[in-house]
Amino acid sequence: MDLTSLRSHNDRTVLRLVRSGALSRASIAEQAGLTPQAVSKIVARLIAAGLLEETGAVRDGGRGKPRMALRLAPGGAFAYGAYVDRDELRVVRLGLTGEVVSASVVPLAPMFTPEDVLTALEASVEPGERVLGLGIGIAGPLDFRDGVVSPHGLPGWSAVPLRARAEQRLGLPVVVDKDTNAAVLAEAWRRPLEDAAVVFVGTGLGVGLLLGGELHRGARSGAGEFGHTTIQLDGPLCVCGRRGCVEAVHAAATGVEAARVLATAVANLVQLLDLDQIVLSGREVLRSPELYLRAMPDVAVSVTSYGSDLVPIGAGLLVLGELF
Ligand SMILES: [Zn+2]
């Protein structure tokens, strides 16, 4: 069955409710404001498509007659997520509930080309009828709408039509977004977040923004270029060509001083956007989380629970999320 035919609004509503714990057809009908007949039809279609399965009879709320419980079918659909970092390619395969089924890391040689990345993707991604597509997270700037990327820190990558080339090479639908947007999507998948920033400190530095519960990409997909806001006039030269960017000043510092640079920039961001949650992530933070946590301003701050696969998981959720 063609999974792309199952993306109607009501299908997505039912899948979302089952994912958030609605057990029976009756409770789905009640929460979705649909008739029991309509829900029965949708559920039958989703079971036939392999996305839902029945798990046996339960008593909803402990009362009334037993009702057949539903859950997302593991193996019903898969999505791939990839992170093109400045020195490696990380790829994960996600199951329907967002769980990681398999993961791989391939080193990328200095000055790697788009062709090198496509070749590595081809080796890591296995298309199949249950594979919905591939999400790719990569540094900005890029245009989310057409998937054309010109990432900072990747020499020779200018106006690369990454989405079109990956779709052609892999024969799968592909979506391309900033690594930091993928990161914030992954965090919001696990818990409710309203006004939050995921601060990503890896080979580059940036934030993913969630404002009013929605991912904020900005007018030209450029939101979150936090690493390239100026923190020190006449500071060190940055990969973006300017001086004194947060990314460059942070990279020139070490230990407590580096954490203080980041904390100062994060405090500015919190002031600007009135954020109430900050999630720290990326390999530099994961290397010494306590150091960064201690330096942060007075808001709710945590370290990502995803570890090193935060961006590829979020990129896969860009694709998988369309089902919900
Ligand atoms: Zn910069």
Side-chain angles (χ1 to χ4, degrees), residues 196-211:
V198 174
V199 179
F200 190 81
V201 192
T203 53
L205 199 158
V207 300
L209 294 170
L210 209 67
L211 302 179

Side-chain angles (χ1 to χ4, degrees), residues 13 29-30 33 37 43 60 69 79 83 86 88 94 112 115 125 127 142 147 159 191 198 260 266 277 317:
T13 302
E30 197 182 305
Q37 293 83 351
V43 166
D60 261 356
Y83 176 27
R86 290 176 187 167
E88 65 185 18
L94 302 180
F112 65 86
E115 184 60 26
V125 172
L142 59 78
R191 58 200 163 123
V198 174
R260 282 186 58 210
V266 168
Q277 289 265 0
L317 292 175

Side-chain angles (χ1 to χ4, degrees), residues 225-235 242-246 249 268:
E225 288 292 330
F226 167 74
H228 304 289
T229 54
T230 308
I231 199 173
Q232 186 186 335
L233 296 178
D234 307 318
R242 293 193 294 267
R243 286 191 173 274
C245 295
V246 175
V249 176
N268 288 339

Side-chain angles (χ1 to χ4, degrees), residues 126-240:
E126 264 183 72
E129 67 166 12
R130 303 225 148 255
V131 175
L132 297 167
L134 165 70
I136 302 176
I138 188 167
L142 59 78
D143 191 325
F144 172 72
R145 292 158 301 181
D146 60 13
V148 175
V149 307
S150 305
H152 289 317
L154 296 187
W157 284 58
S158 179
V160 176
L162 183 60
R163 186 175 78 196
R165 288 186 65 183
E167 281 186 340
Q168 190 184 25
R169 186 69 84 86
L170 300 167
L172 273 177
V174 173
V175 54
V176 175
D177 206 344
K178 291 208 318 194
D179 44 11
T180 45
N181 288 343
V184 80
L185 271 181
E187 292 297 335
W189 178 265
R190 276 197 182 161
R191 58 200 163 123
L193 290 174
E194 278 293 311
D195 292 286
V198 174
V199 179
F200 190 81
V201 192
T203 53
L205 199 158
V207 300
L209 294 170
L210 209 67
L211 302 179
E214 298 286 335
L215 180 63
H216 181 73
R217 289 194 175 89
R220 295 174 296 272
S221 317
E225 288 292 330
F226 167 74
H228 304 289
T229 54
T230 308
I231 199 173
Q232 186 186 335
L233 296 178
D234 307 318
L237 190 65
C238 183
V239 289
C240 72

Side-chain angles (χ1 to χ4, degrees), residues 10 14 25-26 28-30 32-43:
N10 286 344
V14 169
R25 290 167 177 79
I28 291 168
E30 197 182 305
L34 294 166
T35 65
Q37 293 83 351
V39 170
S40 285
K41 260 191 207 166
I42 295 166
V43 166

